[in-house]
Amino acid sequence: MLQITDLHAAIDGKPILKGITLTVNAGEVHAVMGPNGSGKSTLAQVLSGHPAYEVTSGSVTYNGVDLLELAPEVRAQNGVFLAFQYPIEIPGVTNAYFLRAAYNAIRKSKGLEEVDPMEFLDVVEEKLKLVDMDVSMMSRSVNVGFSGGEKKRNEIMQMAILEPELAILDETDSGLDIDALRVVAKGIREVRKDRPELGIVMITHYQRLLDEVQPDFVHIMVDGRIVQSGGMELVEIVERSGYDSFRD
């Protein structure tokens, strides 16, 4: 599904990614861990097409297509989803309007008819249950007045509705208490049950989410490179000794 080969990227002329190589197959969950400044969020932004980041060399292939040649909205239409580390607020735009616009844009790109508000409500109500959200949340402006936990649950709800093929979760667990984290993890698990072919790149600092989701692979990033890959045993090393043992 996703093949990243020797990817280098910079922002404002400063190199951040310094040779990332990673393969994600359909249905796999890959966790990416690393100290602050190691390039984890840059990787997420590059994959989603943030214009501030310049790819200086390397390649990214998604379902046989050069992902880097696609505009951000075309990547989204083709099934690439990004859950933000810091979800933005959009005053005056309701969750329902925002999500239906995104949902219909994806349908239109596939040659399908758009759904009207009542049809969309049927789609939404089932997905809201995945993250324990009330339907009243759909009438509120996107993330305005939401708690940290509500914002992150809203991101997972968006993922459930938009049904991507590749989901990039950028520190979805940051700022969550244990109860909110369990709700978010449950939502991720339920989405995977509905869409077993979904590939996930999960960026995180914490073992708690990984214990709940159980990724297939864990990758440690240091200074713009993946320095070691393995399983949950790497998470245990991080919890016990931090990232110092990986810096060399």
Side-chain angles (χ1 to χ4, degrees):
M1 172 187 287
L2 180 71
Q3 178 64 60
I4 305 172
T5 305
D6 197 25
L7 182 65
H8 291 69
I11 186 168
D12 296 330
K14 179 182 178 182
I16 305 293
L17 301 183
K18 303 174 183 178
I20 298 291
T21 296
L22 176 66
T23 300
V24 179
N25 295 312
E28 293 179 347
V29 178
H30 290 248
V32 179
M33 305 183 74
N36 290 332
S38 59
K40 305 183 302 299
S41 290
T42 295
L43 176 62
Q45 298 292 345
V46 167
L47 292 177
S48 61
H50 195 299
Y53 295 86
E54 178 190 6
V55 174
T56 53
S57 65
S59 64
V60 181
T61 302
Y62 169 69
N63 288 337
V65 175
D66 184 352
L67 185 69
L68 302 178
E69 289 296 317
L70 303 181
E73 64 272 19
V74 178
R75 300 184 197 196
Q77 290 166 1
N78 281 276
V80 178
F81 174 86
L82 173 65
F84 291 97
Q85 180 179 359
Y86 303 109
I88 63 171
E89 299 181 359
I90 311 178
V93 178
T94 66
N95 250 348
Y97 181 88
F98 173 77
L99 275 172
R100 188 167 70 89
Y103 185 80
N104 278 333
I106 291 172
R107 289 181 63 85
K108 186 177 180 180
S109 73
K110 296 177 179 178
L112 302 174
E113 290 187 3
E114 298 183 6
V115 299
D116 63 34
M118 293 307 296
E119 291 175 307
F120 185 64
L121 185 60
D122 291 337
V123 174
V124 166
E125 286 184 335
E126 189 63 31
K127 304 302 185 183
L128 286 168
K129 298 175 185 176
L130 299 180
V131 287
D132 296 345
M133 290 177 70
D134 188 85
V135 70
S136 63
M137 299 290 283
M138 299 305 294
S139 62
R140 295 172 59 180
S141 293
V142 179
N143 292 322
V144 176
F146 285 25
S147 68
E150 287 174 334
K151 288 181 178 180
K152 296 305 178 76
R153 284 155 59 194
N154 203 30
E155 295 282 287
I156 301 304
M157 188 263 289
Q158 292 172 21
M159 177 176 74
I161 290 173
L162 299 179
E163 297 186 336
E165 294 184 38
L166 174 67
I168 304 157
L169 309 182
D170 189 5
E171 297 197 29
T172 303
D173 52 345
S174 65
L176 299 183
D177 61 30
I178 188 64
D179 293 327
L181 183 141
R182 284 173 175 161
V183 171
V184 165
K186 171 179 170 284
I188 295 170
R189 292 196 304 269
E190 291 299 321
V191 170
R192 292 189 71 204
K193 285 181 184 177
D194 289 344
R195 296 182 59 78
E197 72 279 12
L198 173 66
I200 298 178
V201 177
M202 180 183 300
I203 295 168
T204 181
H205 278 295
Y206 304 111
Q207 182 175 356
R208 291 185 304 176
L209 181 63
L210 302 184
D211 285 339
E212 295 275 352
V213 176
Q214 289 294 305
D216 299 291
F217 302 95
V218 176
H219 309 280
I220 306 298
M221 277 187 70
V222 176
D223 192 27
R225 301 177 178 88
I226 292 176
V227 297
Q228 194 162 346
S229 298
M232 287 294 289
E233 73 279 358
L234 297 184
V235 182
E236 295 171 5
I237 295 173
V238 170
E239 286 292 307
R240 185 171 63 249
S241 308
Y243 293 107
D244 285 345
S245 57
F246 299 100
R247 293 183 190 277
D248 290 341

